[in-house]
């Protein structure tokens, strides 16, 4: 008896050890299939910042498979499935031996498979490793082994959670979460006991279910949702089951409504599409993203996202150039030349203002606020294209990468294509004290940048604080804006705000940017077909939408006054010369001047016989006597002073001869200033072309080749060389 007992216990111990070794081996045995199954993509749920469900992402072939942890399924639902599928689930190790024995006996009597005795774990194994042939004893044995393997790798709760999130219900539905939403339009935890019981019966025979899909899935803020999905996929990241977006569905819907309203109002202007984006300057969150007026507008490519489509921004790019100019040595008191001039090096570029007029000397402030073209090109020419491209790169304009070789001075007027998202983010540096924020698509914790050097992770300083503050001051200046826009009421807000608008060179795109201390708004309108917009500019339709959105935002978020620059002081200056006013200066303005900057007294104005006259610098002499000059008591033409100089064309300029145009209309207007005499003679390639008196100006026909201009005035002579191709 003792030997028998000893042998029994020895055999039992060996069996236990063998089983333990078997389980340990299974537990240590890796499975790529299981790992891939656990980490597979589910139908992510996207919510707006207020918890409103926007979208449930379908998987391949439209399959819906949402993921819910056990604690969010509800006890009644979990118990209903255990009762229906595997009452002994908590007691076995993957295989119910008694049920399996009964099934074998029953199938033997019937001569066919009438009972599978599958546990929940075995069903999960069949989902992870699908059958590849008809049911047989070998197939069932394999599933039993795989079930034991799952039990060795996962806890009971993990197995149950994985099963309930994967069980098929037919009709492109997997998992109890998607089933609850499709059949009963609710979360699984909100199902009634009767509904739980009904769902628990479906997986046995999904094809026989009498329940049909009764509820449509929501689809809101689809341009933004699709953009977020794409950003996850670009980074090769699995999208979480729940994504709480930063966007406000109500605000986005309001933006879409405003766009649609304007599209209907200006349908005859060939404006078919529009887009808007709203940013929170304090957190970097994207609060609204309207890629078009309607995602479902197939007639006008509604699913194209206008926020990320590249378009020419026109003059809305100018603030970045002027901000760089301040940091490159220019001052708010600088006077810029708004006169006819070319900027020739590898090719001539002759810009025009929007209204085809020239304003002569214009202060830095007025030039930006009124969006004058020629001073902007002048600034870019002086600063250098390379420096400006580097600054735009630091501002996040990824669209401009690789365009260095094809970009010219017209970049000052926004001729290169960028996205509305890039424009909005870059424009936000001005209310953010020169700091470029990292955009957040996901709802962020309430952390705010103070605009100083200690900024949030991912945010970076691109302009000095005072540079941004001066720009804000200029872009809020109604009087400085009046030269270009008059006194447009759309910019006259009861709260501190800045605006900038733009129109592409062929009028296909009209853009407006606006910001308060807390929010930045950007709106684009035009058409994806590339047709020219008729008779509208960025200061009209898009600006009104920007204003409407800012009005609504300010009601909830307020608007603080923009900060004043610390390293500048305001002084009284001559409004024409930007210098300290003399007794003869008829008009004086207050302007920012860098502390420590020394200014000379104005020498432009002088009195003669009781009248105020102007002695313009040489480069403005031709403009002063041209048809664009409006002359008044404060503006007369004084004598030119200084050395004899050819002001147009510049030495080394390159012109293009257009064979499609008559030769009679292709000529240069050569101008010169200075000299000691009242008359001068022009020669072209050594051949005299005639004299000019007082105002030195000649028309010279264009012909291909390299040519030398020579102007003689008394004993002085100056030359300029140009080429025509």
């Amino acid at each position: 008896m003792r030997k028998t007992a000893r042998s029994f216990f020895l055999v039992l111990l060996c069996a236990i050890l063998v089983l333990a070794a078997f389980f340990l081996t299974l537990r240590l045995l890796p499975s790529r299939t299981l790992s891939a199954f656990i980490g597979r993509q589910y139908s992510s749920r996207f919510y707006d910042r207020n918890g409103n469900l926007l979208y449930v992402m379908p998987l391949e072939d439209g399959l819906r498979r949402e993921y819910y942890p056990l604690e969010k399924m509800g006890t009644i639902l979990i118990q209903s499935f255990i009762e229906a599928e595997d009452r002994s689930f908590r007691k076995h190790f993957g295989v119910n031996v008694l049920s399996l024995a009964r099934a074998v006996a029953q199938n033997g009597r019937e001569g066919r498979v009438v009972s599978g005795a599958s546990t929940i774990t075995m069903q999960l194994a069949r989902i992870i490793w699908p059958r590849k042939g008809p049911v047989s004893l070998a197939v069932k044995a394999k599933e039993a082994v795989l079930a034991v393997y799952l039990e060795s790798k996962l806890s009971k709760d993990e197995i149950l959670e994985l099963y309930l999130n994967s069980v098929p219900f037919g009709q492109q539905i997997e998992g109890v979460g998607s089933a609850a939403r499709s059949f009963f339009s609710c979360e699984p935890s909100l199902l009634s006991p009767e509904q739980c019981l009904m769902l628990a019966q479906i997986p046995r025979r999904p094809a026989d279910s009498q329940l049909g899909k009764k509820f449509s899935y929501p689809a809101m803020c689809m341009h933004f949702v699709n953009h977020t999905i794409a950003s996850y996929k670009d980074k090769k990241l699995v999208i979480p089951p729940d994504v709480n977006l930063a966007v406000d569905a109500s605000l986005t819907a309001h933006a879409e409504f405003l766009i649609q309203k304007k599209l209907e109002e200006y349908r005859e202007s060939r404006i078919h599409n529009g887009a808007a984006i709203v940013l929170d300057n304090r957190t970097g969150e994207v609060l609204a993203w309207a890629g078009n007026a309607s995602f479902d507008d197939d007639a006008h490519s509604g699913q194209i996202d206008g926020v990320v489509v590249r378009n020419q921004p026109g003059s809305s790019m100018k603030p970045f150039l002027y901000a760089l100019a301040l940091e490159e040595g220019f001052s708010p008191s600088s006077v810029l030349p708004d006169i006819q001039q070319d900027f020739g090096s590898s090719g001539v570029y002759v810009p025009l203002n929007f209204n085809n007029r020239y304003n002569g000397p214009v202060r830095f402030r007025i030039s930006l606020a009124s969006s004058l073209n020629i001073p902007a090109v002048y600034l870019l020419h002086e600063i250098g294209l390379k420096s400006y491209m580097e600054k735009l790169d630091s501002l996040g304009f990824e669209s401009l990468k690789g365009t260095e070789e094809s970009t010219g001075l017209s970049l000052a007027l926004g001729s290169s294509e960028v996205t509305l998202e890039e424009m909005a983010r870059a424009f936000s540096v001005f209310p953010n004290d020169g700091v470029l924020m990292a955009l957040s698509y996901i709802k962020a914790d309430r952390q705010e940048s103070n605009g100083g050097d200690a900024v949030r992770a991912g945010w970076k300083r691109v302009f000095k604080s005072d540079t941004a503050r001066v720009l804000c001051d200029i872009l809020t200046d109604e009087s400085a804006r009046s030269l270009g826009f008059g006194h447009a009421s759309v910019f006259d807000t009861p709260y501190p705000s800045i605006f900038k608008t733009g129109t592409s060179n062929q009028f296909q795109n009209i853009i407006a940017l606006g910001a308060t201390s807390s929010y930045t708004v950007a709106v684009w309108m035009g058409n994806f077909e590339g047709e020219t917009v008729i008779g509208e500019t960025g200061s009209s339709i898009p600006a009104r939408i920007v204003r409407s959105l800012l009005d609504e935002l300010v009601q909830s978020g307020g608007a603080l006054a923009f900060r004043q620059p610390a390293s500048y002081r305001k002084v009284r200056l001559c409004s024409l010369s930007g210098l300290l006013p003399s007794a003869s200066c008829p008009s004086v303005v207050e302007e920012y001047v860098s502390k420590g900057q020394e200014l000379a007294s104005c020498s432009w104005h002088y009195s003669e016989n009781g009248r105020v006259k102007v002695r313009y610098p040489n480069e403005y002499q031709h403009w002063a006597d041209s048809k664009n000059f409006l002359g008044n008591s404060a503006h007369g033409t004084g004598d030119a002073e200084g050395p004899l100089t050819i002001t147009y064309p510049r030495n080394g300029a390159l012109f293009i001869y257009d064979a499609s145009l008559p030769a009679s209309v292709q000529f240069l207007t050569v101008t010169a200033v200075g000299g000691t005499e009242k008359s001068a003679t022009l020669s072209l390639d050594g051949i005299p072309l005639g004299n000019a008196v007082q105002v030195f100006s000649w028309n010279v026909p264009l012909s291909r080749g390299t040519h030398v201009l020579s102007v003689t005035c008394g004993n002085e002579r100056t030359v300029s060389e140009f080429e025509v191709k």
Side-chain angles (χ1 to χ4, degrees):
M1 288 295 294
R2 288 178 186 157
K3 290 182 180 181
T4 302
R6 190 180 301 114
S7 298
F8 173 77
F9 285 115
L10 185 60
V11 170
L12 180 61
L13 178 61
C14 290
I16 292 174
L17 291 175
V18 169
L19 288 175
F22 178 66
F23 262 79
L24 181 61
T25 301
L26 289 179
R27 185 173 185 83
L28 296 177
L29 189 65
S31 172
R32 293 183 179 179
T33 302
L34 177 59
S35 297
F37 186 86
I38 293 175
R40 64 182 177 162
Q41 181 67 64
Y42 284 82
S43 293
S44 299
R45 295 174 292 273
F46 293 86
Y47 299 90
D48 83 339
R49 65 184 302 104
N50 300 312
N52 299 307
L53 181 64
L54 303 176
Y55 188 60
V56 179
M57 182 183 72
L59 301 177
E60 60 278 358
D61 301 323
L63 176 69
R64 307 275 184 175
R65 180 178 61 233
E66 300 177 52
Y67 190 91
Y68 283 91
L70 281 181
E71 58 268 21
K72 291 189 177 181
M73 291 183 186
T75 304
I76 296 177
L77 178 63
I78 294 172
Q79 195 59 37
S80 296
F81 272 83
I82 291 177
E83 288 290 328
E85 298 293 334
D86 187 0
R87 294 183 180 181
S88 302
F89 172 71
R90 298 284 182 184
K91 300 176 181 179
H92 59 65
F93 54 89
V95 178
N96 189 326
V97 178
L98 294 178
S99 296
L100 187 60
R102 278 198 305 270
V104 170
Q106 186 178 3
N107 293 339
R109 288 195 303 270
E110 297 292 334
R112 59 189 178 90
V113 177
V114 295
S115 176
S118 292
T119 63
I120 285 178
T121 313
M122 291 175 68
Q123 292 181 48
L124 178 60
R126 189 160 61 242
I127 295 172
I128 299 174
W129 294 277
R131 291 171 177 169
K132 297 182 179 179
V135 180
S136 66
L137 186 60
V139 169
K140 297 295 292 184
K142 177 183 177 182
E143 290 176 359
V145 173
L146 289 172
V148 175
Y149 174 69
L150 288 177
E151 293 276 350
S152 72
K153 301 288 287 186
L154 305 173
S155 69
K156 284 291 186 180
D157 282 348
E158 289 172 333
I159 291 171
L160 186 59
E161 184 174 284
L162 204 55
Y163 168 74
L164 291 174
N165 280 298
S166 307
V167 61
F169 287 84
Q171 305 181 63
Q172 297 293 81
I173 303 169
E174 289 184 4
V176 295
S178 291
R181 193 179 308 281
S182 297
F183 300 135
F184 302 111
S185 186
C186 68
E187 301 284 310
S189 61
L190 300 179
L191 292 169
S192 68
E194 293 78 12
Q195 291 170 336
C196 291
L197 185 61
M198 293 172 68
L199 286 187
Q201 305 304 315
I202 296 177
R204 293 184 177 182
R205 292 184 178 83
D208 297 338
S209 172
Q210 300 301 310
L211 286 177
K213 289 184 181 179
K214 299 180 181 179
F215 302 97
S216 301
Y217 282 82
M220 297 185 289
C221 301
M222 288 309 302
H223 292 106
F224 186 61
V225 169
N226 285 342
H227 185 71
T228 305
I229 292 173
S231 68
Y232 272 102
K233 291 183 177 179
D234 288 344
K235 298 174 184 176
K236 297 182 179 179
L237 298 175
V238 174
I239 307 175
D242 293 301
V243 182
N244 296 304
L245 297 174
V247 73
D248 186 315
S250 177
L251 183 62
T252 298
H254 184 58
E256 291 173 346
F257 168 77
L258 293 174
I259 294 170
Q260 184 62 51
K261 186 178 179 181
K262 291 300 180 185
L263 292 181
E264 293 173 358
E265 185 178 349
Y266 291 93
R267 191 177 304 276
E268 299 303 317
S269 297
R270 287 207 293 253
I271 301 176
H272 302 150
N273 305 101
I277 181 173
V278 178
L279 308 179
D280 189 325
N281 298 336
R282 300 158 296 182
T283 63
E285 293 172 297
V286 177
L287 300 181
W289 181 298
N292 218 321
S294 172
F295 188 81
D296 300 319
D297 184 5
D298 295 333
H300 295 108
S301 307
Q303 294 189 22
I304 295 180
D305 189 348
V307 175
V308 295
V309 169
R310 297 180 182 181
N311 290 303
Q312 291 182 348
S315 293
S316 58
M317 286 281 285
K318 288 177 182 174
F320 314 123
L321 174 62
Y322 279 77
L324 177 59
L326 287 178
E327 300 196 342
E328 291 288 333
F330 285 86
S331 166
S333 62
S334 296
V335 172
L336 307 178
D338 185 17
I339 56 178
Q340 182 183 10
Q341 53 187 310
D342 71 66
F343 301 90
S345 52
S346 60
V348 71
Y349 180 61
V350 184
L352 293 174
N353 282 326
F354 187 77
N355 58 3
N356 294 323
R357 294 189 58 183
Y358 305 102
N359 299 284
V362 181
R363 284 183 292 113
F364 188 98
R365 172 181 294 271
I366 295 175
S367 176
L368 172 58
S370 290
S371 199
L372 301 180
N373 287 345
I374 299 173
V377 178
Y378 169 81
L379 283 177
L380 180 53
H381 182 266
E382 295 298 310
I383 293 169
L385 188 59
K386 184 175 183 295
S387 295
Y388 187 40
M389 286 292 286
E390 290 174 350
K391 180 57 68 175
L392 292 177
D393 181 66
S394 71
L395 282 163
F397 285 100
E398 294 290 328
S399 299
L400 297 179
K401 289 187 180 296
T403 65
E404 292 83 356
E405 296 298 324
S406 60
T407 301
L409 291 177
S410 60
L411 180 64
L413 310 183
S415 62
S416 294
E417 294 182 338
V418 298
T419 70
L420 192 66
E421 180 186 16
E422 291 170 336
M423 288 296 298
R425 182 188 178 209
F427 194 69
S428 71
V429 301
F430 300 121
N432 262 355
D433 243 15
V435 174
L436 181 70
M437 58 189 182
L439 296 190
S440 175
Y441 301 155
I442 309 303
K443 185 178 180 181
D445 294 331
R446 195 64 174 180
Q447 300 177 17
E448 301 179 7
S449 167
N450 60 10
D453 292 325
V455 296
R456 294 178 56 186
W459 297 38
K460 63 178 182 178
R461 177 166 297 284
V462 291
F463 289 121
K464 298 175 183 176
S465 294
D466 280 355
T467 298
R469 295 175 186 183
V470 169
L471 261 289
C472 286
D473 187 79
I474 292 174
L475 294 177
T476 59
D477 192 334
E478 182 180 356
S479 60
R481 191 187 297 128
S482 62
L483 177 64
F485 303 99
H487 296 280
S489 60
V490 67
F491 303 128
D492 184 18
T493 62
Y495 46 84
S497 62
I498 60 174
F499 288 90
K500 190 69 191 78
T501 62
T503 306
S504 65
N505 55 17
Q506 296 298 319
F507 291 84
Q508 294 102 327
N509 311 293
I510 49 179
I511 294 175
L513 306 170
T516 64
S517 59
S518 300
Y519 305 103
T520 295
V521 179
V523 173
W524 165 86
M525 299 190 76
N527 56 74
F528 293 135
E529 294 84 1
E531 295 181 318
T532 300
V533 174
I534 301 175
E536 302 298 338
T537 68
S539 61
S540 55
I541 314 172
R544 294 170 199 155
I545 297 176
V546 170
R547 168 66 187 274
S548 295
L549 290 171
L550 286 177
D551 286 347
E552 180 173 340
L553 290 163
V554 167
Q555 290 182 5
S556 58
L560 302 177
F562 296 113
R563 301 178 184 179
Q564 299 301 305
S567 60
Y568 287 82
R569 71 186 195 281
K570 272 197 171 181
V571 299
R572 291 167 59 83
L573 301 176
C574 171
S575 63
L576 180 64
S577 68
L579 300 172
L580 294 176
S582 68
S584 299
C585 292
S587 177
V588 177
V589 295
E590 282 196 341
E591 184 55 273
Y592 282 116
V593 174
S594 180
K595 291 179 179 178
Q597 179 182 353
E598 297 294 332
L599 292 176
S601 295
C602 177
S603 59
W604 293 27
H605 293 99
Y606 66 98
S607 298
E608 186 177 275
N609 299 324
R611 297 185 62 187
V612 174
K613 292 190 175 182
V614 183
R615 184 183 295 109
Y616 287 99
N618 285 346
E619 62 264 34
Y620 298 107
Q621 285 297 319
H622 180 67
W623 164 81
D625 289 295
S626 70
K627 61 182 180 181
N628 293 292
F629 183 63
L630 301 179
N632 55 42
S633 60
H635 293 79
T637 58
D639 296 331
E641 295 182 345
L644 183 66
T645 304
I646 296 177
T647 55
Y648 187 87
R650 294 189 176 195
N651 188 55
L654 171 65
F655 296 88
I656 307 300
Y657 188 89
D658 189 347
S660 66
L661 296 176
S664 60
V665 302
Q666 300 193 63
F667 59 86
L668 291 177
T669 300
V670 179
T671 60
V673 297
T676 57
E677 304 292 335
K678 297 293 186 181
S679 66
T681 302
L682 173 69
S683 296
L684 176 65
D685 299 330
I687 302 174
L689 295 183
N691 294 336
V693 179
Q694 188 70 36
V695 178
F696 303 151
S697 177
W698 303 265
N699 288 335
V700 177
L702 280 181
S703 61
R704 291 185 176 90
T706 300
H707 304 280
V708 177
L709 295 167
S710 174
V711 175
T712 303
C713 180
N715 295 325
E716 293 184 78
R717 180 174 177 269
T718 184
V719 298
S720 178
E721 185 177 289
F722 68 94
E723 182 182 359
V724 180
K725 287 188 176 181

